[in-house]
Amino acid sequence: GGFPEFNYQQVDALFAGANAAVKIVPTDWLELRTRGAMVRARDITNDGFIVFIPPDVLSQEVTLTRRKLWGMEEVRLGVSGSYTAEQTRIDLNQDFSPPPGAFFLLGASVSASIPVAGGRKLSGSVEGRNLTNQTYRSYLSRLRYFADEPGLDVVMRAKLEF
């Protein structure tokens, strides 16, 4: 199939945006985190929108922490959700296809450390992303013209300190 090609032209533009993050720790074992980002951009030269500006994003994370639990240390359990809105501030004549729709991604993680001989520490974690196996395409990905973003993803990590 064909491969899209873009021609870019410099214009006068006005950008504005905000990133915000709020972290609340009501107890030593509970942490709540909310993040949001938005960008607005306007092509002043042609009185229009600018292509490939990120859509609005809002994410929430809840983390439970225990210093010690069942012989393990630094035990953390987290659940997160991220909502990405559809980018509606666009000029359809500047892109090859309309922007993809909004999507919500769910994630979770668990991690802990175990003390081993000689004062060493064995740490491990399991993280799941896109736990609902949501089919989606990111507006900022140039691959969105051809393929969906990855589905369910599970990452396991182990580390031995010595």
XYZ file of all heavy atoms in Angstrom, residues 13-86:
575
model
N 2.172 30.670 14.957
C 1.257 29.854 15.742
C 1.202 30.357 17.180
O 2.146 30.968 17.678
C 1.685 28.402 15.711
N 0.106 30.069 17.810
C -0.082 30.385 19.219
C -0.349 29.079 19.956
O -1.297 28.366 19.633
C -1.264 31.346 19.406
C -1.605 31.719 20.835
C -0.448 32.475 21.488
C -2.870 32.551 20.873
N 0.530 28.747 20.902
C 0.391 27.539 21.710
C 0.092 27.916 23.144
O 0.680 28.861 23.678
C 1.694 26.719 21.691
C 1.868 25.863 20.486
C 2.276 26.410 19.280
C 1.641 24.499 20.547
C 2.457 25.623 18.166
C 1.815 23.704 19.434
C 2.226 24.262 18.236
N -0.779 27.165 23.768
C -1.063 27.311 25.198
C -1.389 25.928 25.736
O -1.890 25.075 25.006
C -2.236 28.262 25.424
N -1.079 25.707 26.988
C -1.372 24.397 27.547
C -1.145 24.370 29.034
O -0.686 25.338 29.637
N -1.466 23.242 29.606
C -1.281 23.069 31.045
C -1.055 21.594 31.352
O -1.659 20.720 30.733
C -2.503 23.574 31.797
N -0.176 21.367 32.289
C 0.023 20.048 32.890
C -0.256 20.217 34.359
O 0.232 21.180 34.972
C 1.460 19.544 32.708
C 1.748 19.091 31.304
O 0.874 18.583 30.626
N 2.977 19.275 30.869
N -0.999 19.314 34.921
C -1.295 19.400 36.350
C -1.168 18.018 36.969
O -1.487 17.015 36.336
C -2.704 19.947 36.573
N -0.680 17.999 38.189
C -0.572 16.741 38.933
C -0.908 17.018 40.379
O -0.449 18.002 40.960
C 0.827 16.162 38.807
N -1.727 16.156 40.942
C -2.102 16.264 42.352
C -1.821 14.920 43.000
O -2.258 13.884 42.492
C -3.592 16.631 42.523
C -3.983 16.627 43.985
C -3.894 17.963 41.878
N -1.088 14.955 44.089
C -0.778 13.734 44.836
C -1.295 13.926 46.254
O -0.940 14.893 46.922
C 0.729 13.495 44.840
C 1.172 12.315 45.647
C 2.694 12.181 45.535
C 3.264 11.339 46.620
N 4.724 11.242 46.545
N -2.130 13.001 46.691
C -2.696 13.056 48.038
C -2.285 11.781 48.765
O -2.456 10.677 48.237
C -4.236 13.177 47.990
C -4.638 14.454 47.252
C -4.821 13.149 49.390
C -6.117 14.564 46.974
N -1.744 11.954 49.960
C -1.318 10.819 50.780
C -2.064 10.921 52.109
O -1.542 11.483 53.077
C 0.208 10.822 50.990
C 0.650 9.580 51.748
C 0.934 10.916 49.659
N -3.304 10.402 52.175
C -4.092 10.544 53.401
C -3.563 9.706 54.563
O -3.768 10.056 55.716
C -5.490 10.086 52.993
C -5.305 9.278 51.763
C -4.051 9.756 51.107
N -2.887 8.596 54.261
C -2.272 7.766 55.296
C -0.918 7.302 54.766
O -0.616 7.477 53.573
C -3.126 6.523 55.625
O -3.118 5.656 54.504
C -4.549 6.899 55.994
N -0.119 6.686 55.616
C 1.196 6.235 55.165
C 1.112 5.033 54.224
O 2.098 4.650 53.614
C 2.091 5.917 56.361
C 1.546 4.790 57.225
O 0.348 4.476 57.106
O 2.320 4.241 58.016
N -0.049 4.427 54.054
C -0.188 3.256 53.195
C -1.020 3.500 51.932
O -1.163 2.607 51.091
C -0.790 2.078 53.974
C -2.105 2.395 54.630
C -2.284 2.881 55.884
C -3.405 2.256 54.062
N -3.624 3.066 56.138
C -4.336 2.679 55.028
C -3.882 1.817 52.832
C -5.708 2.677 54.794
C -5.247 1.817 52.600
C -6.139 2.239 53.586
N -1.551 4.720 51.760
C -2.416 5.024 50.624
C -1.940 6.287 49.912
O -1.687 7.310 50.554
C -3.865 5.215 51.089
C -4.886 5.607 50.030
C -5.051 4.509 48.987
C -6.223 5.925 50.689
N -1.844 6.194 48.595
C -1.448 7.345 47.786
C -2.396 7.467 46.596
O -2.644 6.490 45.884
C -0.019 7.148 47.287
C 0.517 8.289 46.481
C 1.957 8.030 46.062
O 2.833 7.914 46.945
O 2.198 7.942 44.839
N -2.945 8.649 46.400
C -3.830 8.935 45.278
C -3.151 9.965 44.391
O -2.662 10.980 44.885
C -5.171 9.483 45.771
C -5.892 8.629 46.817
C -7.053 9.404 47.414
C -6.362 7.333 46.206
N -3.142 9.700 43.088
C -2.458 10.594 42.169
C -3.353 10.862 40.968
O -3.901 9.928 40.377
C -1.188 9.913 41.702
C -0.031 10.803 41.442
C 1.139 9.931 41.006
N 1.961 9.608 42.133
C 3.222 9.975 42.247
N 3.789 10.637 41.275
N 3.912 9.661 43.305
N -3.498 12.117 40.604
C -4.251 12.505 39.419
C -3.368 13.392 38.563
O -2.707 14.299 39.080
C -5.534 13.272 39.799
O -6.338 12.425 40.635
C -6.332 13.662 38.581
N -3.365 13.121 37.262
C -2.576 13.928 36.326
C -3.460 14.304 35.146
O -4.304 13.526 34.724
C -1.381 13.138 35.806
C -0.366 12.787 36.848
C 0.807 12.039 36.194
N 1.672 11.528 37.226
C 1.902 10.256 37.460
N 1.325 9.339 36.728
N 2.704 9.880 38.416
N -3.208 15.476 34.622
C -3.937 15.910 33.440
C -3.048 16.762 32.554
O -2.115 17.407 33.040
N -3.314 16.734 31.267
C -2.549 17.538 30.321
C -3.455 17.981 29.186
O -4.306 17.214 28.726
C -1.376 16.739 29.767
N -3.268 19.203 28.775
C -4.003 19.732 27.628
C -3.132 20.738 26.886
O -2.331 21.443 27.491
C -5.310 20.384 28.057
C -5.149 21.554 28.998
S -6.681 22.378 29.376
C -6.635 23.668 28.167
N -3.273 20.742 25.572
C -2.540 21.677 24.717
C -3.532 22.256 23.714
O -4.340 21.532 23.135
C -1.386 20.980 23.957
C -0.682 21.962 23.037
C -0.408 20.343 24.920
N -3.446 23.543 23.526
C -4.250 24.219 22.501
C -3.276 24.913 21.561
O -2.317 25.548 22.011
C -5.205 25.254 23.113
C -6.185 24.671 24.113
C -7.165 23.732 23.424
N -8.156 23.228 24.338
C -8.107 22.055 24.953
N -7.071 21.259 24.756
N -9.061 21.658 25.751
N -3.511 24.783 20.266
C -2.636 25.406 19.284
C -3.473 25.973 18.153
O -4.434 25.339 17.700
C -1.638 24.393 18.749
N -3.084 27.120 17.704
C -3.832 27.808 16.645
C -2.854 28.298 15.581
O -1.823 28.891 15.912
C -4.579 28.978 17.267
C -5.651 29.561 16.429
C -6.936 28.790 16.589
N -7.889 29.374 15.676
C -8.795 28.706 15.028
N -8.926 27.426 15.216
N -9.604 29.293 14.213
N -3.161 28.027 14.338
C -2.396 28.539 13.202
C -2.886 29.963 12.945
O -3.987 30.169 12.431
C -2.630 27.636 11.990
C -1.979 28.149 10.714
O -1.493 29.300 10.686
O -1.966 27.387 9.731
N -2.100 30.932 13.328
C -2.509 32.336 13.192
C -2.428 32.780 11.734
O -3.259 33.560 11.255
C -1.639 33.240 14.085
C -1.851 32.856 15.549
C -1.961 34.711 13.876
C -0.902 33.534 16.494
N -1.458 32.269 10.999
C -1.282 32.657 9.603
C -2.508 32.321 8.768
O -2.983 33.137 7.977
C -0.044 31.948 9.002
O 1.100 32.264 9.791
C 0.189 32.369 7.569
N -3.045 31.116 8.946
C -4.177 30.659 8.125
C -5.486 30.586 8.897
O -6.475 30.071 8.374
C -3.861 29.277 7.544
C -2.626 29.300 6.692
O -2.520 30.083 5.760
N -1.661 28.447 7.023
N -5.487 31.069 10.115
C -6.664 31.056 10.976
C -7.290 29.650 11.034
O -8.433 29.438 10.651
C -7.709 32.066 10.523
C -8.828 32.203 11.550
O -8.545 32.049 12.758
O -9.988 32.438 11.150
N -6.487 28.706 11.510
C -6.984 27.336 11.614
C -6.268 26.577 12.719
O -5.528 27.146 13.514
N -6.488 25.285 12.742
C -5.846 24.419 13.732
C -4.533 23.876 13.183
O -4.290 23.911 11.984
C -6.773 23.263 14.105
C -8.015 23.699 14.821
C -9.251 23.628 14.207
C -7.945 24.187 16.119
C -10.400 24.030 14.872
C -9.081 24.593 16.782
C -10.310 24.514 16.161
N -3.726 23.347 14.078
C -2.451 22.743 13.701
C -2.566 21.235 13.898
O -3.085 20.756 14.909
C -1.307 23.324 14.556
C -1.192 24.820 14.279
C 0.009 22.611 14.265
C -0.165 25.523 15.126
N -2.075 20.496 12.922
C -2.159 19.040 12.948
C -1.158 18.453 13.958
O -0.141 19.064 14.263
C -1.930 18.477 11.526
C -0.501 18.664 11.091
C -2.370 17.052 11.412
N -1.483 17.271 14.502
C -0.643 16.499 15.423
C -0.398 17.179 16.767
O 0.677 17.056 17.352
C 0.686 16.109 14.778
C 0.512 15.259 13.563
C 1.086 15.619 12.361
C -0.251 14.104 13.611
C 0.907 14.852 11.231
C -0.429 13.318 12.485
C 0.150 13.696 11.288
N -1.390 17.868 17.271
C -1.337 18.418 18.626
C -1.960 17.377 19.554
O -3.012 16.816 19.246
C -2.104 19.759 18.705
C -1.492 20.769 17.730
C -2.123 20.298 20.124
C -0.028 21.072 17.965
N -1.333 17.077 20.686
C -1.846 16.006 21.557
C -3.269 16.273 22.043
O -3.626 17.415 22.349
C -0.892 16.018 22.751
C 0.250 16.866 22.371
C -0.159 17.722 21.228
N -4.072 15.222 22.136
C -5.405 15.376 22.727
C -5.300 15.487 24.249
O -4.246 15.219 24.834
C -6.116 14.086 22.322
C -5.030 13.096 22.112
C -3.831 13.870 21.654
N -6.378 15.859 24.880
C -6.409 15.969 26.342
C -6.283 14.580 26.970
O -6.854 13.614 26.459
C -7.716 16.619 26.803
C -7.866 18.040 26.288
O -6.858 18.633 25.844
O -8.995 18.562 26.322
N -5.553 14.518 28.081
C -5.330 13.253 28.778
C -5.570 13.462 30.267
O -5.137 14.467 30.844
C -3.888 12.736 28.554
C -3.635 11.460 29.346
C -3.617 12.509 27.093
N -6.253 12.511 30.893
C -6.487 12.537 32.335
C -6.215 11.141 32.875
O -6.726 10.160 32.334
C -7.933 12.944 32.643
C -8.315 13.036 34.110
C -7.520 14.119 34.818
C -9.799 13.285 34.256
N -5.403 11.046 33.925
C -5.107 9.735 34.497
C -5.219 9.774 36.015
O -5.014 10.817 36.644
C -3.714 9.256 34.083
O -2.718 10.113 34.582
N -5.545 8.616 36.564
C -5.722 8.466 38.018
C -4.987 7.207 38.440
O -5.018 6.196 37.737
C -7.207 8.338 38.356
C -7.513 8.077 39.804
C -7.222 9.264 40.688
O -7.612 10.364 40.372
N -6.532 9.055 41.784
N -4.332 7.273 39.591
C -3.612 6.107 40.112
C -3.840 6.008 41.610
O -3.808 7.007 42.326
C -2.119 6.255 39.827
C -1.297 5.072 40.234
C 0.166 5.230 39.852
O 0.495 6.120 39.046
O 0.981 4.460 40.383
N -4.096 4.789 42.071
C -4.254 4.508 43.497
C -3.187 3.479 43.858
O -3.089 2.433 43.208
C -5.661 3.944 43.809
C -5.779 3.587 45.281
C -6.738 4.929 43.391
N -2.387 3.787 44.877
C -1.311 2.884 45.285
C -1.421 2.589 46.775
O -1.538 3.507 47.590
C 0.071 3.502 44.990
O 0.135 3.849 43.610
C 1.187 2.534 45.317
N -1.387 1.295 47.094
C -1.358 0.837 48.481
C 0.060 0.365 48.776
O 0.647 -0.373 47.987
C -2.338 -0.316 48.698
C -3.787 -0.047 48.308
C -4.602 -1.323 48.401
C -4.374 1.026 49.199
N 0.599 0.785 49.926
C 1.979 0.449 50.287
C 2.030 -0.111 51.703
O 1.368 0.416 52.605
C 2.876 1.706 50.213
O 2.747 2.289 48.922
C 4.327 1.359 50.468
N 2.813 -1.151 51.867
C 3.085 -1.698 53.203
C 4.592 -1.853 53.326
O 5.237 -2.387 52.441
C 2.428 -3.072 53.385
C 0.922 -3.073 53.413
C 0.335 -2.421 54.652
N 0.784 -3.041 55.877
C 0.054 -3.813 56.643
N -1.181 -4.080 56.312
N 0.552 -4.322 57.746
N 5.165 -1.389 54.431
C 6.609 -1.533 54.641
C 6.989 -3.001 54.771
O 7.997 -3.444 54.245
C 7.050 -0.765 55.868
C 6.989 0.734 55.710
C 7.732 1.391 56.871
N 7.448 2.796 56.991
C 7.984 3.728 56.232
N 8.809 3.385 55.280
N 7.687 4.993 56.408
N 6.197 -3.756 55.504
C 6.447 -5.192 55.696
C 5.120 -5.935 55.635
O 4.136 -5.498 56.198
C 7.122 -5.445 57.040
C 8.527 -4.868 57.127
C 9.219 -5.332 58.386
C 10.562 -4.664 58.476
N 11.655 -5.535 58.157
N 5.155 -7.069 54.932
C 3.959 -7.897 54.818
C 4.389 -9.325 54.494
O 5.033 -9.564 53.463
C 3.040 -7.346 53.719
C 1.739 -8.094 53.472
C 0.807 -7.950 54.677
C 1.059 -7.561 52.221
N 4.068 -10.267 55.366
C 4.340 -11.684 55.147
C 5.804 -11.953 54.786
O 6.105 -12.694 53.861
C 3.431 -12.258 54.078
C 1.980 -12.132 54.380
C 1.374 -12.279 55.587
C 0.950 -11.828 53.449
N 0.026 -12.087 55.472
C -0.266 -11.807 54.158
C 0.925 -11.567 52.079
C -1.478 -11.545 53.556
C -0.290 -11.308 51.491
C -1.473 -11.298 52.225
N 6.725 -11.311 55.474
C 8.151 -11.513 55.225
C 8.715 -10.720 54.067
O 9.905 -10.769 53.788
N 7.873 -9.981 53.379
C 8.331 -9.132 52.267
C 8.429 -7.691 52.757
O 7.796 -7.303 53.730
C 7.357 -9.221 51.091
C 7.255 -10.595 50.476
S 6.105 -10.660 49.091
C 4.532 -10.475 49.927
N 9.219 -6.893 52.040
C 9.375 -5.474 52.356
C 8.957 -4.634 51.162
O 8.966 -5.108 50.025
C 10.837 -5.181 52.711
C 11.335 -5.931 53.930
C 12.809 -5.678 54.191
O 13.487 -5.063 53.344
O 13.283 -6.113 55.259
N 8.622 -3.387 51.441
C 8.274 -2.420 50.386
C 7.247 -2.989 49.415
O 7.412 -2.940 48.195
C 9.537 -1.997 49.637
C 10.612 -1.417 50.529
C 11.960 -1.346 49.818
O 11.971 -1.297 48.573
O 12.977 -1.341 50.510
N 6.180 -3.516 49.945
C 5.120 -4.112 49.126
C 4.225 -2.983 48.586
O 3.744 -2.148 49.346
C 4.290 -5.118 49.950
C 3.176 -5.720 49.102
C 5.186 -6.197 50.526
N 4.048 -2.974 47.274
C 3.225 -1.941 46.630
C 2.232 -2.597 45.677
O 2.590 -3.486 44.919
C 4.093 -0.945 45.854
C 5.018 -0.139 46.728
C 5.932 0.757 45.900
N 5.243 1.732 45.090
C 4.889 2.947 45.495
N 5.146 3.327 46.726
N 4.293 3.783 44.674
N 1.010 -2.125 45.730
C -0.044 -2.569 44.826
C -0.676 -1.321 44.227
O -1.117 -0.436 44.962
C -1.095 -3.399 45.573
C -2.350 -3.776 44.792
C -1.991 -4.709 43.634
C -3.365 -4.417 45.712
N -0.698 -1.229 42.924
C -1.235 -0.038 42.273
C -2.230 -0.378 41.189
O -2.107 -1.393 40.505
N -3.221 0.494 41.036
C -4.207 0.396 39.962
C -4.281 1.767 39.307
O -4.307 2.793 40.004
C -5.601 -0.016 40.508
C -6.626 -0.041 39.396
C -5.526 -1.361 41.195
N -4.306 1.788 37.983
C -4.326 3.070 37.285
C -5.314 3.032 36.124
O -5.603 1.986 35.562
C -2.931 3.420 36.759
O -2.515 2.463 35.810
N -5.797 4.196 35.793
C -6.667 4.370 34.640
C -6.276 5.643 33.917
O -5.917 6.630 34.552
N -6.319 5.599 32.606
C -5.947 6.772 31.814
C -6.970 6.975 30.699
O -7.235 6.056 29.919
C -4.551 6.569 31.218
O -4.203 7.662 30.405
N -7.517 8.182 30.635
C -8.491 8.530 29.601
C -7.843 9.505 28.626
O -7.302 10.538 29.035
C -9.735 9.169 30.221
C -10.703 9.674 29.183
C -11.528 8.795 28.489
C -10.774 11.023 28.879
C -12.404 9.253 27.522
C -11.649 11.494 27.917
C -12.466 10.607 27.238
O -13.325 11.068 26.273
N -7.878 9.171 27.354
C -7.387 10.056 26.305
C -8.574 10.458 25.451
O -9.253 9.596 24.881
C -6.311 9.360 25.440
O -5.236 8.956 26.288
C -5.788 10.285 24.359
N -8.822 11.749 25.367
C -9.969 12.258 24.615
C -9.689 12.225 23.110
O -8.533 12.155 22.681
C -10.281 13.685 25.047
N -10.731 12.274 22.332
C -10.571 12.398 20.887
C -10.109 13.816 20.570
O -10.603 14.789 21.149
C -11.901 12.126 20.180
C -11.824 12.233 18.685
C -13.132 11.923 17.990
O -14.064 11.404 18.636
O -13.237 12.208 16.790
